[in-house]
Amino acid sequence: MAKTGIVRDVRYLDHQANTYHPESHHRLEVIHQMLQEPGMKGNYVEIPPRLATREELELIHLPRYVQLVSATAERDYAMLDPDTYACAKSYETARLAAGGVLAAVDQVVAGNVDNAFAFIRPPGHHAESSRAMGFCLFNNVAVAAAYALLAHKVQRALIIDWDLHHGNGTQHSFYERADVLYFSTHQFPYYPGTGYVNEVGNGSGQGFTVNVPLAPGPGDGEYAAIFEEILEPISLEYKPGLVLVSAGFDIYYQDPLGGMQVTPAGFANLARIVLEFAEKTCGGKVVFLLEGGYHLEGLRDSAREVLKTLRGEILAGGRDPSLCKSADQQMVGPIIRKVKEAQKPFWRLR
Ligand SMILES: [Zn+2]
């Protein structure tokens, strides 16, 4: 079995809305319960989270924005954008979310664990350098990628974002850089509105942003096909030293916010595909971190399957080839061709 680290902490429940909100602490409560199940409990290496420092947050965020978020700690409640709340504990929780991913990166890069999953909140991929957006305060995955490059001298980091939504903040953080490649599948047109096929990066970052916008409908087979036909060849050519996965479970087939059809077995297969090419490029050094996912049972069941895949308890013999074969070509064939056309100047794609 592989050694798989997990980041979990009751303090991640402290970020709470004062009214109904889909991004609630209940999301982590069901995951914490799942981690106590027989067959899960004791099987994962605990990685204690830490608070990200201001300097670490400022690898991505402007100092005045970090200051603005820190000031919310002095108020009972604030709205940072129409969707994004901050209670008095949110600043600390958000620092612990970013720091939780940094702790996971430290352990994976050092080889103390083979891979890891950071169960953190608030999520991060919509957060821009100078503003909160879409339930996100600090951009956890972007801070982690910048940190890995700086603190661990990782040459190239790959960010895979399979959340339902486009990670606008992550894309913008590295849009003109070649040392972080951002790959996203997302429902489109949809919130936040970015993530067109022709958004491929700028300047020396050209070709290091890969967007796969999708109409509602894709499920296990279609996602597998996109990963195998676009993500995998680009990743093998890019040769990242670390892979970070913005794992949003809002592409689950019953998620209240989305129109995608992925099942827990489909998530496991995507995780397995990622592990397989990461094994070839960076010894399997992959850090998963939680983004969205708003169907509580779906979130719990999908996270469980991904964890079992990371540990090698399921799909240890390899990905399930029947899923990719089952892809509805009418549904995803055209978009796969369009993305390949846009990315062909930069990558060897068939
Ligand atoms: Zn999302």
Side-chain angles (χ1 to χ4, degrees):
M1 293 287 170
K3 256 169 101 174
T4 296
I6 50 170
V7 175
R8 63 163 154 185
D9 197 300
V10 290
R11 287 175 289 170
Y12 290 127
L13 308 180
D14 290 344
H15 171 65
Q16 292 194 9
N18 64 3
T19 171
Y20 171 78
H21 196 288
E23 205 296 281
S24 80
H25 59 288
H26 301 305
R27 300 177 60 234
L28 282 188
E29 282 176 345
V30 296
I31 287 176
H32 291 177
Q33 285 159 12
M34 176 269 287
L35 292 169
Q36 293 305 111
E37 294 169 2
M40 299 303 286
K41 193 179 176 186
N43 285 349
Y44 298 89
V45 180
E46 299 280 345
I47 299 174
R50 62 179 175 84
L51 295 172
T53 64
R54 274 193 184 239
E55 292 69 30
E56 287 162 348
L57 296 172
E58 287 171 10
L59 291 171
I60 295 299
H61 297 287
L62 296 181
R64 64 174 162 79
Y65 174 67
V66 178
Q67 180 59 40
L68 181 139
V69 180
S70 77
T72 64
E74 288 144 34
R75 299 164 63 182
D76 282 346
Y77 206 75
M79 292 305 287
L80 295 173
D81 99 325
D83 302 317
T84 313
Y85 61 89
C87 65
K89 291 273 191 79
S90 293
Y91 170 59
E92 174 130 335
T93 312
R95 281 179 67 197
L96 195 68
V101 186
L102 301 185
V105 166
D106 287 340
Q107 294 304 311
V108 168
V109 171
N112 296 332
V113 293
D114 296 304
N115 49 48
F117 203 133
F119 293 104
I120 53 164
R121 56 181 290 278
H125 71 155
H126 296 305
E128 296 277 1
S129 63
S130 61
R131 72 190 165 109
M133 238 182 104
F135 318 164
C136 301
L137 301 186
F138 296 130
N139 196 315
N140 306 311
V141 75
V143 170
Y147 168 82
L149 267 54
L150 193 75
H152 291 294
K153 307 288 177 248
V154 168
Q155 301 280 307
R156 286 176 302 282
L158 166 65
I159 298 175
I160 300 164
D161 187 337
W162 76 37
D163 188 276
L164 174 74
H165 304 93
H166 183 244
N168 55 289
T170 312
Q171 171 167 307
H172 293 152
S173 296
F174 306 107
Y175 205 59
E176 303 195 345
R177 288 171 60 166
D179 51 4
V180 178
L181 192 155
Y182 178 66
F183 170 91
S184 175
T185 46
H186 44 273
Q187 188 165 321
F188 191 88
Y190 202 55
Y191 185 88
T194 46
Y196 286 80
V197 170
N198 63 5
E199 292 171 17
V200 297
N202 224 344
S204 52
Q206 263 196 29
F208 300 97
T209 294
V210 180
N211 280 305
V212 187
L214 298 166
D220 297 352
E222 292 75 32
Y223 271 88
I226 292 163
F227 272 44
E228 292 191 20
E229 289 197 42
I230 301 169
L231 174 62
E232 186 164 39
I234 289 177
S235 302
L236 289 171
E237 194 178 340
Y238 184 59
K239 296 188 178 69
L242 177 68
V243 178
L244 299 162
V245 181
S246 269
F249 293 98
D250 38 10
I251 55 173
Y252 178 72
Y253 71 106
Q254 291 181 301
D255 192 275
L257 301 194
M260 300 309 183
Q261 300 295 326
V262 180
T263 72
F267 283 110
N269 192 58
L270 294 182
R272 182 65 214 179
I273 293 170
V274 172
L275 284 177
E276 285 179 24
F277 64 69
E279 195 59 54
K280 291 181 190 160
T281 73
C282 54
K285 293 189 188 307
V286 186
V287 175
F288 284 71
L289 59 136
L290 186 62
E291 297 280 2
Y294 306 101
H295 185 281
L296 295 181
E297 292 76 22
L299 170 63
R300 175 197 65 199
D301 294 346
S302 303
R304 185 196 295 113
E305 293 304 287
V306 169
L307 279 174
K308 288 187 168 183
T309 306
L310 294 185
R311 192 162 174 260
E313 262 183 87
I314 56 173
L315 295 175
R319 70 189 70 177
D320 179 353
S322 72
L323 289 184
C324 184
K325 281 198 198 96
S326 75
D328 179 343
Q329 281 307 321
Q330 281 193 336
M331 192 186 286
V332 286
I335 186 65
I336 289 176
R337 281 193 293 279
K338 251 175 105 172
V339 175
K340 284 182 175 176
E341 220 37 65
Q343 296 291 340
K344 259 183 188 159
F346 317 109
W347 304 102
R348 291 191 294 271
L349 290 166
R350 283 187 295 129

